[in-house]
Amino acid sequence: MLVAGGDVWAGLIELNRYRFKRGGRPLLNYQELYREVAGVRVGELSVTALRSVVRRYADACMETAKRKRRGEIARYPRRRRRLMPLRYYAGTFCLKGHRVRLSTARGTPELCLRLARALPCPEADVRSVTLLAHVGRLWLDVTAEVPIASPPEEGTVAGVDLGIIHPFAVAGGKEALLVSGRAIRAEERLHLADTKARQKRLAPKTPRRGQRGSRRWRKLRAAQRRAEAKHRRRVHQMQHQAAKTLVERARGVGVATLVVGDLRGITGQRAGRVQNRRVGTAWRRTHLLGALGDKAEVAGITLVLVDERGTSSTCPQCHQHTPKPKGRQFSCPHCGHTEHRDIVGARNIAARGGGSATAPAVVTHRRAGSPPARRDRRRHLMDVHRSCPAPGRPRPEGVARRAAVSDQETVAAFTGRRRGSGNRANVV
């Protein structure tokens, strides 16, 4: 059925391509497109599934037309897809426990699927389901109705600064929240190292142009796609946890409006190869902002976007421009104010949205996500900055030098090694 949906998508692309070559007007409206395919039977697709593919194509065309009118570079759908997602609205499917039954074409048996786990929401709240294939597996995307909380009658304004090290920094009134994203960065580093290792194993088995790949190469490619999908799900889950922590905190202190810095156009700046990759690829700022917007809407909190240019380099106390610090600590040379750099940006963003940025904030720290199950390969570098590193780890020079000498003597006593001799003793 997913292959039949891909055939419908390819047919719509070929239809507009043919009309364009003949000098005709391309069909972009949903009604016009569905009029062309009405009554056509494609495989075992029901009318509902056929309409969902036409609706998806029409929405993509209309979005491209809007972007072209704004002067942006955009192209109409031109790539074929082998497997196309199929959407079923209420009344065309049946949910009962771990079973879901989807409608098909007349005269064909219905499609029955067994879910791997129960639905995360009541069956009565489900409004639509989407059948799709991702990384070689079948998935069922469920859309349910979620009740929206009533907004607070009297609330304050808080500013939110989005970052890479700290996904969210919130400041409003006399309280501030700093969400740490070090677990997300550890997941990114481990995934990057694993990707390099997989590419190294995959390079000798990659087929040349015109050759068919071996079975071992296809297995490695499938494993690579599964690892990429798992990594994206882990990062998205951590970002959802960070957004949930922020919204619950804001709801508890009576925040009615969240003012967020607008990050559009940040990838157009040339800041070097490392910084461009960090901002453009590893940050996932669009999903971070989307998760915050969805959870804020459910909690009844209004989300407002403002320009964030210069918020991290302006003192919230004296409002003087200060060179942006290289570290995480902000220090104003004019009034001597010292505070975390992300909290300074959040306070200035709150001021641009109508909030207050002069009161000193009491910072509360939270951690988003859980650290990876494997040990980080670069964690040993963190022991240099610790006051009590683990035995055998490098110690800083100065105060801990005497303790380092004693540790070396202790290790030598248990291993049979003596300073100045290369002999080894067998110790029982």
Side-chain angles (χ1 to χ4, degrees), residues 113-177:
L113 301 175
R114 181 174 58 88
L115 302 181
R117 61 185 179 92
L119 295 176
C121 56
E123 298 178 2
D125 297 339
V126 177
R127 296 295 175 261
S128 67
V129 296
T130 303
L131 182 66
L132 54 94
H134 181 60
V135 200
R137 297 180 181 179
L138 280 177
W139 297 80
L140 195 69
D141 188 7
V142 181
T143 303
E145 182 179 358
V146 180
I148 298 178
S150 58
E153 298 179 357
E154 295 181 1
T156 59
V157 178
V160 181
D161 182 58
L162 304 180
I164 302 176
I165 298 179
H166 300 89
F168 297 109
V170 192
K174 297 183 179 180
E175 296 185 1
L177 175 65

Side-chain angles (χ1 to χ4, degrees), residues 44 52 59 128 146 169 212 233 241 277-278 281 329 339 356-357 366 373 383 385 397 420-421:
E44 298 182 359
S52 66
D59 292 343
S128 67
V146 180
R212 183 179 180 182
R233 291 196 301 268
Q241 293 176 0
R277 179 196 171 276
R278 186 182 303 169
T281 306
Q329 197 69 11
E339 199 172 12
S356 175
R366 291 289 184 272
D383 292 332
H385 305 286
E397 297 291 337
S421 63

